Amino acid sequence: MLEVGGLTTKYGAISALRDASLTVGSGEVIGLIGPNGAGKTTLLNSIAGLLTPAAGTVTFNGADVTGSSPEKLLRAGLALVPEHRRIFTDMTVEENLKIGGITRSALERSSDLDEMAELFPVLRDKWTTAAGFLSGGEAQQLAIARALMSRPKLLMMDEPSLGLAPVLVDVVFDLIANLRTQGRTLLVVEQNATRMLEASDRAYVLRSGEVVATGTGAELRERDDLFDTFVGGGES
Ligand code: ATP
């Protein structure tokens, strides 16, 4: 579904991402792990059209979408839940979700709203509450639900458990497990490498802007050279 080939992205003269390649197949849950500053956010943002790569290609469902705008990618079926959530705090839960479904018809949007109310009981209970009053865990669920409202073929999430209390981290990983069971395709950046390896089919390890390893959780955990990915900077 997604093929990233040799992607390089720079901030000025500095390459934050160098020659990164990865693939995500339909129905796969893929983790993207690595220490602080490894380039994980840069890679997601380069795929989602928020950053323009200096080199390399992004192919989505067979089409070259390198450098496409986020709006065009969203319409093609690629949605991103950005770091720090970025929900509209003055709007209600329902209004935030409706905005997420802006690319859909009114009829589709209405049935998608019902689906989100079922998938996220916490949001159903706060349907008419302004999003600014939600807890961190509720806000994260709203951000994910809003992205799902566009019916993405591929949903990318940037650090969904960041800054959440341990019990809410569990809620986020339960949700990822739930979406995986539904056969959805996910690409998830996580600092919490150990949990992400359990939650994914495969993962890529980034370090200093480069993909240094890939494999299943079991394969990656056996690699002594990746120890620092899991301990000291790799755990939240
Ligand atoms: P974190 O987990 O801390 O978010 P990350 O793996 O997502 O880390 P990035 O945020 O992609 O890493 O950052 C990769 C590198 O690019 C880091 O060295 C960072 O300091 C640098 N960087 C990120 N954003 C910018 C920017 N806007 N301008 C200049 N340098 C940046």
Side-chain angles (χ1 to χ4, degrees):
M1 177 175 289
L2 178 74
E3 281 173 43
V4 173
L7 214 58
T8 295
T9 301
K10 300 181 177 190
Y11 298 107
I14 298 164
S15 294
L17 190 67
R18 279 193 299 274
D19 201 21
S21 298
L22 64 80
T23 61
V24 182
S26 182
E28 275 193 311
V29 173
I30 301 294
L32 200 51
I33 58 178
N36 276 328
K40 304 181 298 294
T41 296
T42 303
L43 177 51
L44 274 202
N45 288 350
S46 301
I47 296 169
L50 295 169
L51 289 171
T52 307
T57 53
V58 180
T59 309
F60 186 57
N61 279 329
D64 184 349
V65 295
T66 319
S68 291
S69 68
E71 292 77 14
K72 199 173 163 203
L73 288 166
L74 190 66
R75 285 182 193 279
L78 198 155
L80 170 69
V81 181
E83 208 173 351
H84 309 305
R85 300 163 201 138
R86 305 223 179 90
I87 50 177
F88 300 106
T89 50
D90 293 341
M91 294 185 180
T92 66
V93 166
E94 182 181 16
E95 287 164 347
N96 268 278
L97 291 174
K98 280 183 173 167
I99 287 176
I102 203 108
T103 55
R104 312 264 296 154
S105 74
L107 199 66
E108 289 169 332
R109 198 157 50 236
S110 160
S111 79
D112 290 347
L113 280 173
D114 292 343
E115 194 185 329
M116 291 311 136
E118 201 168 314
L119 194 57
F120 299 90
V122 164
L123 299 182
R124 188 181 53 217
D125 294 343
K126 307 235 163 144
W127 208 243
T128 55
T129 303
F133 291 106
L134 299 182
S135 71
E138 290 163 350
Q140 184 58 272
Q141 292 185 66
L142 176 57
I144 294 169
R146 187 180 59 183
L148 288 173
M149 283 293 293
S150 69
R151 291 247 152 208
K153 296 186 179 90
L154 169 63
L155 177 64
M156 304 197 294
M157 299 185 216
D158 195 352
E159 306 257 13
S161 78
L162 188 72
L164 298 181
V167 61
L168 295 173
V169 171
D170 289 346
V171 169
V172 167
F173 278 102
D174 285 349
L175 177 61
I176 291 172
N178 195 359
L179 296 173
R180 188 182 182 191
T181 309
Q182 292 180 3
R184 303 210 194 223
T185 311
L186 308 179
L187 176 59
V188 186
V189 162
E190 258 296 341
Q191 284 258 328
N192 196 328
T194 308
R195 295 285 300 264
M196 196 59 229
L197 288 185
E198 284 164 14
S200 56
D201 296 302
R202 293 186 293 122
Y204 290 83
V205 182
L206 245 78
R207 195 186 286 156
S208 304
E210 291 182 72
V211 175
V212 293
T214 180
T216 63
E219 287 163 352
L220 292 174
R221 268 191 296 265
E222 276 179 16
R223 299 254 315 246
D224 286 345
D225 58 315
L226 300 178
F227 186 71
D228 69 332
T229 302
F230 304 109
V231 181
E235 296 280 19
S236 67

